[in-house]
Amino acid sequence: MDGNSSMPTSLDLNSEASCDIESVSPQKRCQEAFQKRQEAACFEKNIPLPEQHCNYDECLFPAKIANYSKALPHDQLAQVDLCAYQAMTDALTTGDPEKFEVIPLGGIVKLSDPQAAYAFEMAGPDSHHLGMIAPPDFSSACLASEMAELYWQSLCRDVPFSEYDTNALIQAAATDLTSFSCFRGPKIDKKVTPKTLFRLDVPGDLRGPYMSQFLWKDIPFGATTITQRYRTPVAGIDFMTEYAEWLNIQNGFVPTNALQYSAEPHYIYNGRALGEYVHRDFSFQAVLNACLILLSFGTEALALSNPYLHSATQIGFATFGSPHILDFVVRSARVALEAAWFQKFLVHRRLRPEEFGGCVQNRQTGAADYPINPELLNSPVVIDVFNKYGTYLLPQAYPEGCPTHPAYPSGHATIAGAGVTILKAFFKECFVLPAPVVASSDGVTLLPYSGSPLTVGEELNKLAVNIAMGRNFAGIHWRTDNSAGMKLGETVAIRILQDYRNTYNEDFSGFAITKFDGTTVII
């Protein structure tokens, strides 16, 4: 051994000595691991089961006009074939995989993963162990106001966010929505204004530009940097405004039209660009990008509870470092989707806005006498849409319209709610974002933003709102799909953090999170 007397001259392969120097025996470690998993499972099991509330429209309307039925066969009024609808609910009620395979479809487009409503999870809450408030019912003033908002969003798709304060169409939308008795969007002095229009009432969403910094700032991505300029559809081209095309798509046929794109990519600068971002994104794209941006700010942006901030000898990595944070952001997405899918298919089966638009069309043309709230029918936006398109259908930003699963809650909103909640747990919410920007009115460049400071917590909230409301700009979700979905995702994230809270060896004081309602929770 070259004179190195400290090294052994032979290795005893029969020695019973272990190379494991941990503080407990492998047997005890195995028992502790089992105990922690058991404690997490018992914690989840012992949380009281929520009551699942729906709006009972499915019982109230035998023709199922108030429920989701896209991709099933329909008659000329777009009323669903009741045998097909019953087959779908029979499959959902039993959970029998074979019954899902015999649901009658109206065309070639398939339903989007209804069996995910029955999936189990190994960490975080079980999807059936989470509840939501019921969405507004078909004839309510609240739903009327949400549909009016969607009509306005379709008309305002091409208005740059930077011009909201001065645009006449934006002002008309704000004035009209103020007149509704049950509009639930944020207001100033009891009025919807250009500064509150198409936003949600969460901390930070009314501060600064419409778009979150996390959808504009460059993204550090390994050895490269991604500039957030995206392919944007050509202005002024909307879809599903002709009844025959609309009905074919309800029956599950593919659209005959296609998107046309601008020659150059743009920063997200209006509702159409935002709608296209959430058309092509992968499930957790926005929150993953936000995580990468936040990690680039270094330790100054980390939450004060991070146990390695003041360590003299260590830094975080697999725990409380970037792999840990990235993993939690991504893993929360699937749990959030499962929670959303349970509510979508097994509880609410809420109709999509495009389906409601068909009801408005048939009501206004005298083809049917649906009980639509008069606050909507008396709104000037209904006439504006008809004058522009020749029908009362809700103009869609996507040729195919909505995906083939029910509306409530929004999957995008639920994922965003979960992801930003995870990020608020690991990063300092009061950290001021450096060098804020705003997109130019044509979306070609980014300009310096010189308004009030923008903080991590508030811009993460705004990110969740942007992702959710982008789907509304496209015409495929309701306002309450978003607000309820974000809260559902928030609960998913909190429960994941709770399940892992006692798995760390570090001296850790816990996660602190400001929720979407402005209250603080300590985990």
Side-chain angles (χ1 to χ4, degrees):
M1 297 299 291
D2 298 328
N4 188 344
S5 59
S6 65
M7 296 186 68
T9 56
S10 64
L11 180 63
D12 184 359
L13 298 178
N14 296 316
S15 172
E16 295 183 359
S18 173
C19 295
D20 184 350
I21 64 170
E22 65 178 303
S23 60
V24 298
S25 67
Q27 293 78 12
K28 185 175 182 182
R29 170 71 185 194
C30 183
Q31 180 60 34
E32 288 180 352
F34 171 77
Q35 183 176 348
K36 288 187 180 295
R37 295 189 179 201
Q38 187 177 53
E39 288 172 351
C42 288
F43 170 81
E44 293 290 346
K45 179 178 180 293
N46 292 332
I47 293 176
L49 288 168
E51 294 185 11
Q52 301 296 342
H53 299 287
C54 64
N55 61 19
Y56 297 103
D57 275 347
E58 193 172 43
C59 299
L60 184 61
F61 299 105
K64 311 305 177 189
I65 62 169
N67 290 97
Y68 173 86
S69 61
K70 186 173 180 177
L72 302 182
H74 300 79
D75 65 15
Q76 189 60 27
L77 286 177
Q79 292 186 4
V80 67
D81 181 295
L82 292 179
C83 291
Y85 192 87
Q86 185 64 50
M88 181 181 73
T89 55
D90 283 349
L92 291 168
T93 300
T94 63
D96 183 349
E98 293 184 1
K99 289 193 174 185
F100 285 99
E101 291 300 315
V102 295
I103 298 173
L105 300 178
I108 62 174
V109 178
K110 302 176 183 180
L111 295 172
S112 296
D113 198 12
Q115 292 191 69
Y118 278 102
F120 287 96
E121 263 303 328
M122 299 303 291
D126 180 62
S127 61
H128 295 218
H129 207 152
L130 299 168
M132 298 173 62
I133 62 172
D137 61 80
F138 183 89
S139 300
S140 66
C142 289
L143 191 70
S145 72
E146 292 192 32
M147 188 63 180
E149 180 180 40
L150 289 168
Y151 277 133
W152 281 116
Q153 284 184 278
S154 72
L155 295 177
C156 296
R157 279 185 189 126
D158 295 318
V159 178
F161 296 130
S162 62
E163 296 181 2
Y164 269 31
D165 287 344
T166 58
N167 184 273
L169 196 59
I170 294 295
Q171 185 58 62
T175 300
D176 183 42
L177 292 175
T178 298
S179 71
F180 281 82
S181 63
C182 191
F183 181 66
R184 296 177 177 176
K187 301 176 182 178
I188 297 175
D189 296 330
K190 300 182 180 180
K191 293 182 179 181
V192 181
T193 74
K195 293 186 182 297
T196 68
L197 190 67
F198 309 144
R199 303 197 189 208
L200 291 180
D201 195 9
V202 299
D205 194 34
L206 301 186
R207 190 190 310 279
Y210 185 89
M211 295 298 301
S212 170
Q213 295 296 299
F214 295 111
L215 288 169
W216 278 334
K217 304 280 280 185
D218 287 352
I219 305 163
F221 201 83
T224 191
T225 299
I226 298 174
T227 300
Q228 294 207 65
R229 298 176 69 207
Y230 300 102
R231 195 168 61 156
T232 305
V234 172
I237 301 178
D238 299 307
F239 302 95
M240 293 173 59
T241 58
E242 296 181 0
Y243 192 82
E245 172 82 351
W246 172 86
L247 183 59
N248 278 339
I249 292 173
Q250 300 314 301
N251 280 323
F253 292 99
V254 296
T256 58
N257 301 302
L259 281 167
Q260 301 176 37
Y261 291 95
S262 300
E264 298 294 330
H266 293 77
Y267 293 100
I268 299 174
Y269 70 106
N270 63 15
R272 192 178 299 277
L274 178 56
E276 185 60 13
Y277 177 90
V278 292
H279 189 202
R280 303 299 182 185
D281 60 332
F282 57 82
S283 58
F284 50 82
Q285 179 175 328
V287 288
L288 173 62
N289 290 345
C291 186
L292 294 171
I293 292 170
L294 286 168
L295 288 169
S296 73
F297 296 143
T299 57
E300 290 185 4
L302 292 175
L304 295 177
S305 60
N306 190 298
Y308 290 107
L309 281 182
H310 304 291
S311 172
T313 61
Q314 307 165 81
I315 59 172
F317 191 64
T319 54
F320 301 100
S322 57
H324 185 185
I325 304 171
L326 288 163
D327 172 66
F328 270 34
V329 167
V330 173
R331 76 167 51 203
S332 70
R334 181 172 178 268
V335 187
L337 275 181
E338 290 167 348
W341 254 241
F342 164 65
Q343 296 289 335
K344 282 174 178 286
F345 278 104
L346 296 187
V347 182
H348 302 288
R349 294 173 295 286
R350 186 187 194 184
L351 84 168
R352 291 279 184 161
E354 71 187 52
E355 296 174 302
F356 192 89
C359 293
V360 177
Q361 168 71 12
N362 286 318
R363 168 67 172 77
Q364 292 297 85
T365 59
D369 188 23
Y370 297 136
I372 295 170
N373 192 283
E375 288 192 28
L376 173 63
L377 301 180
N378 294 331
S379 168
V381 74
V382 176
I383 299 301
D384 289 347
V385 167
F386 180 81
N387 288 340
K388 183 174 181 178
Y389 297 99
T391 67
Y392 299 96
L393 298 169
L394 177 63
Q396 299 289 299
Y398 310 152
E400 74 281 8
C402 73
T404 52
H405 49 83
Y408 190 74
S410 161
H412 270 74
T414 309
I415 291 173
V420 304
T421 300
I422 294 290
L423 291 173
K424 286 188 285 186
F426 283 98
F427 290 97
K428 190 187 301 179
E429 290 188 57
C430 63
F431 181 80
V432 175
L433 293 170
V437 294
V438 60
S440 59
S441 60
D442 59 4
V444 173
T445 61
L446 292 178
L447 306 172
Y449 169 72
S450 58
S452 58
L454 305 176
T455 63
V456 164
E458 292 187 344
E459 287 299 291
L460 286 173
N461 288 344
K462 188 185 295 181
L463 174 64
V465 173
N466 290 161
I467 295 305
M469 293 301 283
R471 302 286 275 183
N472 291 36
F473 272 111
I476 68 173
H477 267 298
W478 306 95
R479 166 174 286 273
T480 43
D481 294 346
N482 296 338
S483 56
M486 285 168 54
K487 291 178 181 178
L488 179 65
E490 179 180 69
T491 301
V492 164
I494 289 172
R495 296 272 281 271
I496 289 173
L497 293 168
Q498 286 172 327
D499 279 359
Y500 280 92
R501 171 64 181 85
N502 294 322
T503 65
Y504 308 119
N505 187 69
E506 293 87 346
D507 186 8
F508 176 52
S509 61
F511 300 105
I513 301 164
T514 305
K515 296 174 63 178
F516 292 127
D517 64 6
T519 62
T520 301
V521 61
I522 306 295
I523 302 169

